Amino acid sequence: MFSSWGFPCSRFSFAGWAATRHSALLCQRAAASPAPPWLPLLGCAHRRLLALGGLSPSAAAAAGWGAAGAAPCGMGVAGSGFRPSRVAVVVKTTRYEFEQQRYRYAGLSEEDLKQLLALKGSNYAGLLERHRIHTKNVEHVVDSLRNERIEVRLVKRREYNEETVRWADAVISAGGDGTMLLAASKVFDKFKPVIGINTDPERSEGHLCLPVRYTHSFPEALQKLYRGEFRWQWRQRIRLYLEGTGINTTPVDLHEQQLSQEQHSRAHINERFQDQRSDISGPHLLPVRALNEVFIGESLSSRENFKSCKPSFKFSLHRASYYEISVDDGPWEKQKSSGLNVCTGTGSKAWSYNINKVAHQAIEEILKIAKEHGSLNMPLNTELIQKVTNDYNESLLYSPEEPKMFFSVREPIVNRVFSSSRQRGFSSKVCVRSRCWDACMVVDGGTSFEFNDGAIASILIDTEDSLCTVLLEE
């Protein structure tokens, strides 16, 4: 049983209130003193209790309360549960909704949309069914929260902003991993929890979400939060500094614009002319934090177009990404590659893993070569090959809470001019100087920054940027 302030009712008694009131009377002088440095970290539940007892935060500091409230808003004393008063639910845009919005300007009817999707090879009935499943699961989450008298604000991508984050005690993403990345992207308060719910488990992996069973039994997850049957998980995030000549610190939202290749380049050019600060040298801390990864490379790997003998027919040539890199303040190295990926522990299970993982077939062929050279004196069998493959691939993964990064150079070009002394590895800091012509620095696949010749990016982890999530006890 919990009070409306998030404390167990048995603990929030009249006697407790009287004791708090008595402390207030003893600390009248302290009440007039300046606010203590820990005040911005004080949890909402503590602030409400202090206000009810007539005790100011400054007086509380003098009375010995300390910074006990430095925990997510809605959490009481250490070891108690978590009960937010206000929750923002960030809802993904389904493919069905996206297609509707995409052709709304043309005034298409539902039947027209159905026929158009059929021409594109998409299943209208299937998209509609997935949309209904998602919507039903979102309604389940919202109803569960409101049944607990929690104030809910339901927002879509375009409506989700910093004001919504400030209003909420916690943020819930209702979708998949992409929606979780979106929800996290605007949360800079280390003590504001972000919780993911997978609203379509059959079609979405949901690595960043609660276990699938809570999709249909969200009240059970709420009860575990109330009872304290969970632990806070602090997922580390990457921060980015940008400096150099001609930089543009204005982000482009790739999800919102759903840009084509040509439009993507134009968007960066337009932003550059609209932003008068593009000539500032920096370094500037960019207004994003990467939960998964940062990717740097030519925005279009096939950008140079050449006309053939046939009119209006074009073919493209590959353009490698050219840059200089320094790892952990080491020497600068010129590189050409298909791009650079820098990930967190959270992102080590995502794109980074697929860049670096080794196939069973490759391990088998390497071991056969080693055996032919007499360097391997053991029989090769499927079990051994599979174990070596699994062990190597698992070494690419690490805890989301570890404050370190893993960088990967994709398909490096190595010759007498360009080198790649380390194709992958752990690091605490990566600096990149662009020598590209049409490059981007993309954060979590959704936010892009122009990154062309003369721009320098410093990529590192600061524990103050960590994202607060929960791990429920099972």
Side-chain angles (χ1 to χ4, degrees):
M1 185 72 177
F2 283 76
S3 72
S4 59
W5 290 278
F7 289 90
C9 288
S10 60
R11 302 189 65 168
F12 191 75
S13 61
F14 178 80
W17 176 86
T20 304
R21 183 64 178 173
H22 178 63
S23 297
L25 295 174
L26 293 177
C27 300
Q28 288 180 353
R29 284 187 184 177
S33 61
W38 48 261
L39 178 58
L41 300 177
L42 192 61
C44 291
H46 277 122
R47 288 200 296 269
R48 291 180 186 130
L49 182 58
L50 292 176
L52 184 65
L55 185 61
S56 73
S58 299
W65 278 61
C73 186
M75 181 178 180
V77 294
S80 67
F82 173 63
R83 183 181 184 120
S85 299
R86 297 180 296 198
V87 170
V89 179
V90 183
V91 185
K92 80 171 183 179
T93 300
T94 65
R95 171 74 186 283
Y96 171 76
E97 290 174 311
F98 170 74
E99 295 292 352
Q100 275 191 324
Q101 295 169 10
R102 188 179 184 187
Y103 297 108
R104 183 176 296 164
Y105 72 92
L108 297 183
S109 66
E110 197 72 9
E111 184 60 31
D112 292 335
L113 177 62
K114 183 176 180 179
Q115 294 178 7
L116 180 61
L117 290 173
L119 289 173
K120 292 173 22 176
S122 297
N123 186 336
Y124 171 85
L127 295 181
L128 184 59
E129 177 61 19
R130 303 324 301 179
H131 171 73
R132 287 172 176 167
I133 290 172
H134 160 76
T135 302
K136 180 180 178 181
N137 289 329
V138 170
E139 290 173 352
H140 171 65
V141 170
V142 172
D143 290 344
S144 301
L145 291 167
R146 287 176 174 159
N147 288 340
E148 295 292 330
R149 299 184 179 180
I150 296 173
E151 189 176 352
V152 179
R153 184 181 290 185
L154 199 66
V155 294
K156 288 281 192 178
R157 175 180 295 276
R158 291 184 178 180
E159 305 158 340
Y160 185 48
N161 53 35
E162 289 75 10
E163 189 279 325
T164 299
V165 173
R166 287 193 297 270
W167 171 86
D169 295 333
V171 178
I172 291 179
S173 75
D177 287 338
T179 311
M180 180 67 174
L181 291 173
L182 167 66
S185 68
K186 298 188 185 300
V187 177
F188 293 91
D189 183 349
K190 180 178 179 180
F191 301 108
K192 183 156 296 185
V194 180
I195 303 170
I197 299 294
N198 189 344
T199 55
D200 193 0
E202 292 182 13
R203 297 297 178 90
S204 176
E205 188 64 35
H207 280 300
L208 304 178
C209 302
L210 293 180
V212 170
R213 67 190 187 90
Y214 295 113
T215 297
H216 307 293
S217 58
F218 190 64
E220 183 183 347
L222 286 176
Q223 293 305 315
K224 287 194 172 186
L225 290 175
Y226 298 165
R227 295 192 298 263
E229 296 174 5
F230 68 95
R231 81 167 181 86
W232 298 113
Q233 183 179 47
W234 307 96
R235 291 182 180 269
Q236 300 302 313
R237 295 194 286 184
I238 293 173
R239 62 166 53 188
L240 298 155
Y241 291 91
L242 192 60
E243 58 184 307
T245 58
I247 63 171
N248 180 11
T249 59
T250 305
V252 171
D253 187 334
L254 302 182
H255 291 299
E256 179 65 29
Q257 300 196 24
Q258 294 292 325
L259 302 171
S260 69
Q261 293 181 348
E262 184 178 356
Q263 288 172 325
H264 180 273
S265 181
R266 270 208 314 266
H268 277 298
I269 293 172
N270 292 338
E271 293 286 1
R272 184 194 307 167
F273 284 109
Q274 291 170 10
D275 191 347
Q276 299 301 316
R277 298 170 298 172
S278 61
D279 292 330
I280 306 174
S281 60
H284 300 280
L285 177 61
L286 296 182
V288 293
R289 301 294 182 270
L291 180 57
N292 262 0
E293 77 272 312
V294 176
F295 178 76
I296 292 176
E298 288 284 353
S299 58
L300 307 171
S301 62
S302 54
R303 182 64 197 215
E304 297 180 13
N305 295 319
F306 295 86
K307 292 185 178 179
S308 70
C309 56
K310 294 183 179 180
S312 73
F313 177 80
K314 295 183 180 182
F315 64 93
S316 302
L317 296 179
H318 172 78
R319 177 188 287 173
S321 302
Y322 175 25
Y323 55 88
E324 297 173 34
I325 182 172
S326 168
V327 177
D328 293 333
D329 294 320
W332 289 89
E333 182 176 74
K334 290 183 179 180
Q335 289 187 349
K336 270 193 175 182
S337 70
S338 294
L340 175 71
N341 181 289
V342 184
C343 78
T344 63
T346 298
S348 67
K349 291 184 177 180
W351 189 8
S352 173
Y353 180 78
N354 289 288
I355 291 173
N356 294 290
K357 69 178 181 180
V358 178
H360 179 279
Q361 179 182 354
I363 293 292
E364 182 178 10
E365 292 172 358
I366 291 171
L367 292 178
K368 283 181 178 179
I369 293 172
K371 192 173 180 64
E372 289 172 0
H373 284 76
S375 303
L376 193 64
N377 298 317
M378 64 175 66
L380 294 183
N381 54 53
T382 303
E383 183 178 352
L384 172 64
I385 295 169
Q386 191 62 55
K387 186 178 188 313
V388 173
T389 303
N390 292 342
D391 287 351
Y392 174 81
N393 289 338
E394 287 175 10
S395 72
L396 302 171
L397 308 177
Y398 62 105
S399 169
E401 295 182 284
E402 286 194 62
K404 63 182 182 181
M405 305 179 297
F406 188 83
F407 71 91
S408 309
V409 180
R410 296 178 64 212
E411 302 169 327
I413 296 172
V414 179
N415 52 36
R416 63 182 181 82
V417 178
F418 299 100
S419 60
S420 181
S421 58
R422 292 178 66 193
Q423 188 171 342
R424 67 182 65 84
F426 292 102
S427 65
S428 58
K429 181 181 180 182
V430 175
C431 294
V432 183
R433 179 185 289 117
S434 176
R435 297 300 183 210
C436 298
W437 291 102
D438 186 23
C440 290
M441 182 163 58
V442 182
V443 179
D444 286 338
T447 304
S448 177
F449 295 88
E450 183 179 347
F451 191 64
N452 290 327
D453 190 28
I456 302 172
S458 296
I459 306 168
L460 59 142
I461 280 183
D462 189 320
T463 54
E464 288 303 309
D465 297 327
S466 57
L467 181 74
C468 181
T469 59
V470 299
L471 288 178
L472 298 181
E473 293 180 4
E474 296 297 329

